[in-house]
Amino acid sequence: MRVVTVWAVSTLTMLALAGILPDFRLQSSDGDSATRTAMTAAWGAGAFGLLSALVWPLLVRALLLVPALLLGLLVFFLNGSLLLVALGLIPDGRGDAGPETAVVVAAVMSAVASATSTALAAGDEGAYPRRLSRAAGRRRRRSGELCGEGGPPGTVFVQLDGVGHQVLVEALAAGLLPHIAAWLGPGGTHRLTAWRTDWSSQTGASQLAILHGTNHDVPAFRWYEKDTGRTMVSNRPASAVELQRRAVRRTGDGGLLTVDGASRGNLFSGGADQLALVLSMAARRGRSNRSRAGYFAYFRDPAFAVRTAVSFAVEVGREICQSTRARLRHVRPRVGRGGLYPMIRAFATVVERDVVVAAVMDDILAGRAAVYADFVAYDEVAHHSGPRSRDALRVLARLDRCVATIARTAGYAPRDYHLVLLSDHGQSAGETFESVYGLTLRDLVRAGCGLPVPRRAERTRSGAEARYAARHAVRTALHRPVGEGTTEEGAAADTDPVVLASGNLGLVSFPDVPGRMSREQIDGRHPALLRTLADHPGIGFLLVRSEEHGALVLGRGGAEVPLAGLADGRGPLAGFGPGAADAIRRTDTFPHAADIMVNSVYDPDTGRVHAFEEQIGSHGGLGGEQSHAFLISPRALSPAVPAGDTTGLVGAEQVHRVLRRWLGECTGPQVPLPVARTGADQPAADGRTAPAGPAVPAVPAVPAVPADRGENGRPVGKQ
């Protein structure tokens, strides 16, 4: 009855459009009776419906290699082409439309068909999940797989990217997240736990550790590696696959999702077989291996494709209106939101969201044991609008509805499911470093080195002071022996430093000096640089290595404190909160830590930081809410933090161990795939191996309690 009803409504829609649009006809040139015209419309609507159901999925699969944004634009063209084919199937050539008109008619008919199906299902929220469940059941029967049917509970991990613990608490209190609030209210089924990130409070470091158990040697979102001469950027496919390979090699197992797992919308695969929008897999050759194949699961339905394309256009318009309003009202802080950003935002808040929700629903109804999905919508909007802006909170409210859809779908799955919500970091608000001081961190570093800077930066107070300090230091150098990096004329060496920004964390490297440059070497080459940076009002502290004192934390007023004895809240770390010293000490051990690690100033009274990027909501360093994430777990699972534990949950690697423990409670130990001892059988990019020789026995799952570590910093007993 639903199919017949949709067909009838589509027929009426086609008749109406034929009467409205001059280039669209359903009659012969001599004219037809009303009955004959209605039959022609019914024929055309039926043919269009069949082509949409049978041919459209094949077209989408053939276009999997097309970039996502271009695929969204092709939706209307493809739909219009199908309508022209459908009109060509009408007997006696009674159907005809111009190409532009066909695009309009096809879009309207798909939208009306989708709206009709939705209206027929109104009051029955389980109609769509039931349809997917029946389809999943047919696939299971055809493949002969039980997929957990009647087995232990599965687990779905949903990551709300960038949502800080405090923002979540405030949104719950304001009633913006009714579905999540129902889990946590009196008699609720879930509990809320806060956890603290590492110094590098960003998705690359956090998610790598959460999915693969380690984020060792990930000092920031982007960093320069002297030994390879390349810049690593966490959200580049080539960098992501390399980071995943290193993590697999270090831990000796494929990841959190190696056992019947699915990875959706993530930077890393976690060792899962089922992938959609996974960045570390995007660089792999071959259509079947691309995580972009996850688009097929969603766009194979033309009604969904049209709905998402329309929503994409609406979101672009919404962003343009919101940014224009903020500019006219002189809202501060504010960053530029033009160029491609409206489309980038629309992709994150519409396309990525819709595709990931559909993929997770399919995973649940297929009965997969473990699913990890990341929603980046809030994080993307908060970067440009602010973490507590109305724009960002509205996006967060829409994600609450996505969580509700996933939870509702679990009721139709072949097995029970535990739903776990978590974030990878928070965001700290504040004016950008450049908007406050008139120059970038790169400009300040170059000025402190005595190198040329743009005129606009030279005219600022900070730039002028840095240039004066550099000239004074060079003059002083004339009265001492020529050392490394100082020419006979006393001028500093002109090798350009590499200056990179990760939120309010900056990294300065000198590529011509192998290894990590010491404080003494830096002073010998650029005598004014460290004091110029440390005394700047927009910088909180520096981390450098001294040949005499080891790691040093430098602050304003000439403060120089050995990192080994530095306590939280003391010296340059005053106000940065608990755990700051330990986080810095851990980063100091990384082989690819920069020559100078720079953290912006942090105001504990206002919670403000100054990002070295164009972001008014930032994360990546220390200071404020960016370091405080959340974990919402079912009460049926053991607590994330045992009773009586006063240290709390610290670091993404500990979060990984907690998630491992919960998977063990649901389905038993997650046995990692074997990793060969020799270089002949290295783990693949997805964390899996294909040994050419005898495999090494699998290592045990990571225990809930942190393992003892050997002298090399790796867990004892690991391969």
Side-chain angles (χ1 to χ4, degrees):
M1 287 301 299
R2 188 168 294 169
V3 171
V4 171
T5 303
V6 171
W7 188 2
V9 173
S10 298
T11 300
L12 294 175
T13 302
M14 185 171 278
L15 286 170
L17 291 173
I20 296 172
L21 300 174
D23 293 338
F24 181 38
R25 67 177 182 84
L26 295 172
Q27 296 178 326
S28 65
S29 57
D30 299 331
D32 287 324
S33 65
T35 302
R36 179 63 186 232
T37 302
M39 291 296 295
T40 301
W43 184 283
F48 180 64
L50 285 174
L51 288 172
S52 297
L54 300 177
V55 179
W56 179 271
L58 301 178
L59 290 175
V60 173
R61 184 174 289 279
L63 292 171
L64 287 179
L65 301 183
V66 174
L69 293 177
L70 182 59
L71 178 60
L73 296 176
L74 286 174
V75 163
F76 294 100
F77 170 77
L78 295 174
N79 221 21
S81 301
L82 287 181
L83 180 71
L84 289 176
V85 173
L87 294 177
L89 296 176
I90 297 176
D92 302 325
R94 281 179 162 77
D96 185 38
E100 301 86 353
T101 303
V103 170
V104 175
V105 173
V108 173
M109 290 187 62
S110 295
V112 169
S114 177
T116 303
S117 298
T118 302
L120 292 173
D124 184 6
E125 295 182 337
Y128 179 61
R130 278 201 302 273
R131 180 163 69 88
L132 290 181
S133 181
R134 288 195 294 270
R138 288 193 295 270
R139 287 199 302 272
R140 291 196 301 272
R141 287 192 294 273
R142 283 197 301 267
S143 63
E145 297 177 357
L146 295 178
C147 289
E149 194 160 4
T155 308
V156 177
F157 303 103
V158 176
Q159 177 178 307
L160 303 183
D161 205 299
V163 181
H165 177 264
Q166 187 59 35
V167 167
L168 177 79
V169 170
E170 293 174 6
L172 290 169
L176 296 176
L177 311 174
H179 299 99
I180 298 176
W183 293 0
L184 299 171
T189 57
H190 287 62
R191 61 169 69 89
L192 172 64
T193 305
W195 68 277
R196 193 167 68 243
T197 69
D198 305 286
W199 188 2
S200 182
S201 53
Q202 46 87 20
T203 305
S206 292
Q207 196 180 88
L208 182 65
I210 291 171
L211 288 177
H212 288 280
T214 180
N215 57 12
H216 177 77
D217 203 19
V218 182
F221 180 76
R222 52 178 68 87
W223 67 95
Y224 179 76
E225 297 189 346
K226 295 185 179 183
D227 52 348
T228 62
R230 63 180 173 180
T231 299
M232 300 289 288
V233 183
S234 298
N235 66 353
R236 286 181 183 169
S239 296
V241 72
E242 173 63 16
L243 292 177
Q244 183 168 311
R245 185 191 65 79
R246 293 177 185 178
V248 170
R249 174 180 291 177
R250 181 174 178 83
T251 61
D253 68 72
L256 189 71
L257 308 174
T258 53
V259 180
D260 190 24
S263 181
R264 310 300 189 185
N266 301 309
L267 293 181
F268 310 103
S269 74
D273 279 330
Q274 302 297 321
L275 307 168
L277 300 180
V278 176
L279 193 70
S280 64
M281 299 293 106
R284 297 178 66 184
R285 294 181 176 272
R287 181 179 303 168
S288 61
N289 290 333
R290 287 178 176 261
S291 72
R292 201 174 290 163
Y295 286 111
F296 175 73
Y298 184 79
F299 285 108
R300 63 188 174 193
D301 190 323
F304 287 177
V306 171
R307 183 182 68 186
T308 296
V310 171
S311 298
F312 182 94
V314 170
E315 188 70 12
V316 170
R318 179 183 291 123
E319 163 55 26
I320 293 173
C321 292
Q322 290 174 350
S323 61
T324 302
R325 182 177 65 229
R327 189 169 58 253
L328 293 176
R329 294 180 178 179
H330 303 287
V331 174
R332 302 296 300 180
R334 188 176 72 249
V335 294
R337 292 159 62 173
L340 291 176
Y341 172 68
M343 288 192 290
I344 294 173
R345 166 178 165 166
F347 178 80
T349 58
V350 175
V351 180
E352 193 265 357
R353 178 200 65 195
D354 290 352
V355 171
V356 169
V357 168
V360 172
M361 292 173 68
D362 197 57
D363 292 329
I364 291 173
L365 296 173
R368 306 200 195 285
V371 182
Y372 194 103
D374 185 13
F375 291 99
V376 301
Y378 169 85
D379 188 63
E380 183 61 49
V381 176
H383 277 315
H384 295 79
S385 301
R388 285 181 171 78
S389 65
R390 182 173 62 175
D391 303 350
L393 293 178
R394 284 181 174 177
V395 171
L396 184 57
R398 292 200 290 269
L399 292 181
D400 178 72
R401 293 194 287 273
C402 294
V403 171
T405 299
I406 292 172
R408 189 165 58 245
T409 304
Y412 301 92
R415 69 196 307 171
D416 293 333
Y417 272 95
H418 293 307
L419 267 64
V420 176
L421 264 63
L422 73 159
S423 62
D424 50 345
H425 54 78
Q427 285 203 18
S428 297
E431 292 265 11
T432 68
F433 185 86
E434 183 178 12
S435 66
V436 175
Y437 301 106
L439 78 173
T440 65
L441 177 63
R442 182 176 183 272
D443 295 335
L444 183 62
V445 170
R446 290 181 65 83
C449 293
L451 298 172
V453 296
R455 288 184 178 179
R456 57 165 178 76
E458 208 167 37
R459 289 193 293 266
T460 65
R461 179 177 177 181
S462 298
E465 290 176 348
R467 297 286 288 179
Y468 172 79
R471 286 194 295 267
H472 177 73
V474 169
R475 285 196 297 269
T476 303
L478 287 171
H479 302 290
R480 67 188 188 203
V482 176
E484 180 182 353
T486 304
T487 67
E488 292 182 358
E489 291 76 19
D494 59 355
T495 302
D496 284 1
V498 176
V499 183
L500 300 173
S502 296
N504 74 320
L505 177 64
L507 295 88
V508 182
S509 300
F510 296 91
D512 62 318
V513 180
R516 190 169 171 187
M517 201 171 179
S518 70
R519 184 258 178 85
E520 290 79 6
Q521 288 175 306
I522 297 172
D523 283 343
R525 170 178 287 198
H526 304 295
L529 177 58
L530 292 179
R531 287 272 51 99
T532 296
L533 294 175
D535 288 335
H536 192 279
I539 291 177
F541 64 87
L542 313 177
L543 171 67
V544 295
R545 265 287 190 185
S546 168
E547 297 172 5
E548 181 180 357
H549 304 289
L552 285 177
V553 175
L554 310 183
R556 263 168 277 176
E560 298 183 4
V561 184
L563 181 58
L566 186 59
D568 291 330
R570 300 293 181 88
L573 296 186
F576 278 92
D582 285 339
I584 297 170
R585 274 189 280 269
R586 180 172 183 266
T587 301
D588 180 64
T589 65
F590 292 171
H592 289 113
D595 296 334
I596 309 173
M597 302 286 291
V598 185
N599 203 97
S600 88
V601 69
Y602 165 62
D603 186 344
D605 295 329
T606 63
R608 302 286 177 175
V609 301
H610 297 314
F612 300 122
E613 301 180 86
E614 279 293 291
Q615 298 174 348
I616 59 175
S618 68
H619 55 87
L622 286 173
E625 297 178 18
Q626 62 183 314
S627 299
H628 300 281
F630 73 86
L631 182 61
I632 296 177
S633 58
R635 295 186 180 276
L637 300 174
S638 61
V641 180
D645 187 338
T646 58
T647 60
L649 200 56
V650 180
E653 292 184 358
Q654 283 198 21
V655 175
H656 172 85
R657 288 191 282 269
V658 170
L659 302 191
R660 281 275 197 185
R661 187 210 317 154
W662 288 342
L663 287 178
E665 293 172 5
C666 294
T667 59
Q670 305 292 293
V671 181
L673 294 181
V675 178
R677 293 186 186 276
T678 66
D681 302 319
Q682 294 297 339
D686 60 358
R688 298 182 167 268
T689 56
V696 176
V699 297
V702 177
V705 180
D708 293 331
R709 295 182 177 269
E711 293 180 357
N712 61 357
R714 298 177 62 181
V716 174
K718 292 287 183 180
Q719 294 181 11

